[in-house]
């Protein structure tokens, strides 16, 4: 893959950090040290995993409801339409493990549309947010009312640590389907995505099924509207990162003097989000021990959201230890669900 190769050759300081957006590294000390490190790089950056404090998570939920951000709805439609086939082709799994389960909506949709009444189903929810785990396990418990016998286990952990715990569980062990939805893979750069998928493969038994959702390359106008919506919700989501630094690390970012900007980087196949300084301004973040001047028009690069071609997804999965079972595409909204098995 040429883009992955090129990217790997860039010096580390020019790369957007490889982020596990829901990684468990959220201690105040880690946050301060990451802010210090990334804000003093050239170009300045901040890791996108820090978007998801309570306000940021609420703003992200709102983004998922925006008419211009189609990822969530497209994926839910595919899960609903093809749930039965997903269960069949995944080998009728009795254990489902979702990495970054969030609200639990997607898993609930898949189980409701795909699972017939027979036998209990173990659902393992992995998320770093304890409040998300409470909400999702409550939502998924409701499946018991619609005649699906589910047992729910929550893991407050990063993806990989949670997967290790979930697959170590002796009870209920049976055919397993691991889910990585929401196009979260898009927030890894290409080498990071490959390394992540290899890590997942290493934790799975041969034959285990893996379902991944990924947003596809589409027209620039459509992509930019998804990341720079007319209601300004994505701008608020982006700028909240500076507000979070002010709140938690005593920073003095003048939030109104930073503009949200979304850019489609065609060569790298990614939408980038930036916060652009509207004037030369001094910024101090005492807990991160930084004090710097940011120039007018200088930007802080806060997120990369890589977009895939359908074949690209299959190739990447094949290169990381999986074989393709089936891919379902929503051509209208440009989204793909790909089911693979560990080989
Ligand atoms: C969580 N992640 C897949 C979202 C994305 O599309 O990259 C985060 C997001 N950023 C802006 N809008 C949504």
């Amino acid at each position: 893959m040429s883009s992955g190769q090129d990217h790997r050759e860039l010096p580390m300081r020019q790369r957007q950090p490889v982020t596990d957006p829901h990684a468990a590294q959220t201690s105040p000390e880690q946050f301060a040290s990451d802010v210090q490190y990334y804000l003093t790089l050239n170009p300045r950056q901040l890791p996108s995993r820090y978007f998801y404090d309570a306000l940021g998570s609420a703003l992200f939920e709102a983004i998922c409801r925006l008419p211009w951000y189609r990822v969530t709805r497209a994926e839910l439609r595919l899960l609903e339409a093809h749930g039965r086939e997903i269960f069949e082709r995944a080998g009728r799994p009795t254990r489902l493990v979702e990495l970054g389960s969030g609200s639990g909506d997607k898993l609930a949709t898949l189980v409701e549309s795909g699972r017939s009444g027979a036998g209990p189903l173990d659902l393992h929810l992995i998320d770093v947010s304890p409040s998300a785990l409470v909400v999702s396990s409550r939502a998924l418990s409701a499946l018991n009312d619609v005649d699906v016998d589910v047992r729910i286990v929550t893991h407050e952990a990063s993806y990989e640590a949670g997967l290790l715990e979930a697959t170590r569980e002796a009870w209920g062990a049976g055919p397993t389907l691991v889910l990585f939805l929401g196009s979260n893979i898009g927030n890894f750069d290409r080498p990071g995505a490959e390394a992540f998928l290899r890590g997942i493969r290493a934790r799975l038994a041969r034959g285990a099924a893996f379902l991944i959702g990924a947003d596809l390359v589409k027209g620039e106008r459509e992509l930019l509207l998804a990341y720079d919506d007319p209601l300004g919700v994505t701008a608020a989501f982006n700028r909240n990162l500076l507000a979070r630094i002010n709140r938690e690390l005593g920073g003095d970012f003048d939030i109104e003097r930073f503009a949200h900007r979304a850019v489609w980087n065609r060569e790298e196949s990614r939408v980038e989000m930036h916060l652009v300084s509207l004037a030369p301004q001094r910024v101090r973040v005492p807990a991160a021990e930084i004090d710097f001047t940011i120039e007018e028009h200088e930007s802080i690069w806060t997120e990369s959201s890589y977009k895939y071609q359908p074949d690209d997804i299959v190739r990447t999965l094949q290169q990381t230890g999986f074989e393709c079972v089936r891919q379902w595409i929503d051509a209208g909204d440009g989204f793909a669900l790909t089911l693979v098995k560990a080989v």
Side-chain angles (χ1 to χ4, degrees), residues 135-156:
V135 172
S136 54
S137 49
R138 206 178 292 141
L140 288 156
S141 306
L143 287 168
N144 286 312
D145 306 334
V146 293
D147 217 20
V148 189
D149 177 9
V150 291
R151 297 188 291 197
I152 296 161
V153 188
T154 59
H155 305 269
E156 189 185 324

Side-chain angles (χ1 to χ4, degrees), residues 21-22 51-52 60 63 69 71 181-187 215 226-227 234 237 273 303-307:
H22 301 276
F51 282 141
Y52 302 91
F60 179 63
I63 288 173
Y69 188 80
V71 167
L181 303 174
S183 201
N184 284 325
I185 193 70
N187 296 129
D215 200 17
Y227 289 85
T234 312
F237 174 70
M273 296 209 308
E303 187 186 60
S304 292
S305 198
Y306 285 79
K307 304 301 167 190

Side-chain angles (χ1 to χ4, degrees), residues 95 97 124-126 153-170 203:
R95 175 168 58 177
V97 181
H124 290 260
L125 313 179
I126 300 171
V153 188
T154 59
H155 305 269
E156 189 185 324
S158 65
Y159 300 143
E160 294 190 13
L163 182 58
L164 204 60
E165 267 178 44
T167 48
R168 214 191 276 133
E169 288 268 353
R203 286 166 177 78

Side-chain angles (χ1 to χ4, degrees), residues 19-339:
T19 51
D20 168 346
H22 301 276
Q25 297 171 336
T26 48
S27 71
E29 297 74 25
Q30 185 66 49
F31 185 31
S33 117
D34 281 344
V35 165
Q36 181 189 60
Y37 177 76
Y38 288 105
L39 267 185
T40 51
L41 291 180
N42 181 16
R44 298 185 197 280
Q45 304 175 28
L46 283 168
S48 61
R49 63 174 169 273
Y50 291 113
F51 282 141
Y52 302 91
D53 65 350
L55 179 54
S57 299
L59 287 165
F60 179 63
E61 290 290 319
I63 288 173
C64 294
R65 291 165 187 254
L66 292 173
W68 306 279
Y69 188 80
R70 301 183 178 166
V71 167
T72 318
R73 277 182 305 277
E75 188 169 52
L76 282 171
R77 270 199 311 275
L78 288 174
L79 291 169
E80 199 170 1
H82 304 290
R84 272 283 159 89
E85 197 185 346
I86 292 170
F87 263 90
E88 283 301 315
R89 290 188 182 257
R92 302 187 187 199
T94 53
R95 175 168 58 177
L96 266 54
V97 181
E98 185 173 7
L99 310 175
S101 45
S103 66
D105 286 358
K106 291 176 286 234
L107 188 53
T109 302
L110 175 64
V111 171
E112 246 185 290
S113 65
R115 170 78 176 179
S116 53
L121 197 56
D122 297 331
L123 304 181
H124 290 260
L125 313 179
I126 300 171
D127 209 293
V128 287
S129 157
S131 57
L133 288 170
V134 170
V135 172
S136 54
S137 49
R138 206 178 292 141
L140 288 156
S141 306
L143 287 168
N144 286 312
D145 306 334
V146 293
D147 217 20
V148 189
D149 177 9
V150 291
R151 297 188 291 197
I152 296 161
V153 188
T154 59
H155 305 269
E156 189 185 324
S158 65
Y159 300 143
E160 294 190 13
L163 182 58
L164 204 60
E165 267 178 44
T167 48
R168 214 191 276 133
E169 288 268 353
W171 63 267
T176 298
L177 169 62
V178 176
L179 304 120
F180 191 48
L181 303 174
S183 201
N184 284 325
I185 193 70
N187 296 129
F188 291 90
D189 68 8
R190 294 299 173 112
E194 283 183 26
F196 174 74
L197 293 170
R198 272 185 225 286
I200 299 297
R201 169 63 193 90
R203 286 166 177 78
L204 297 179
R206 213 182 143 96
F210 180 54
L211 182 69
I212 183 164
D215 200 17
L216 301 178
V217 174
K218 58 198 78 153
E220 178 165 359
R221 194 181 125 75
E222 223 178 310
L223 284 167
L224 292 181
L225 271 173
Y227 289 85
D228 192 4
D229 63 273
L231 291 180
V233 181
T234 312
F237 174 70
N238 198 8
R239 290 157 107 204
N240 177 56
L241 191 45
L242 302 185
R244 179 177 185 186
I245 293 172
N246 287 354
R247 281 193 299 272
E248 295 183 21
L249 302 177
D252 66 355
F253 276 106
D254 184 348
I255 294 156
E256 289 179 6
R257 292 208 289 171
F258 284 88
H260 167 67
R261 180 140 319 142
V263 176
W264 169 235
N265 183 331
R266 193 184 310 274
E267 250 169 54
E268 298 289 349
S269 198
R270 66 183 181 221
V271 178
E272 298 171 4
M273 296 209 308
H274 295 264
L275 289 162
V276 181
S277 178
L278 296 175
Q281 46 185 324
R282 184 173 172 192
V283 177
R284 279 155 292 201
V285 185
E289 293 170 12
I290 46 174
D291 178 341
F292 62 93
T293 298
I294 184 161
E295 304 305 328
E296 187 179 3
H297 306 307
E298 193 181 340
S299 97
I300 302 172
W301 180 8
T302 52
E303 187 186 60
S304 292
S305 198
Y306 285 79
K307 304 301 167 190
Y308 284 82
Q309 300 287 358
D311 290 356
D312 232 15
I313 305 168
V314 172
R315 208 173 318 119
T316 306
L317 286 159
Q318 284 168 342
Q319 283 164 355
T320 51
F322 296 95
E323 71 184 3
C324 186
V325 176
R326 174 91 218 250
Q327 188 173 59
W328 297 269
I329 292 176
D330 183 317
D333 285 340
F335 192 88
L337 270 182
T338 309
L339 180 67

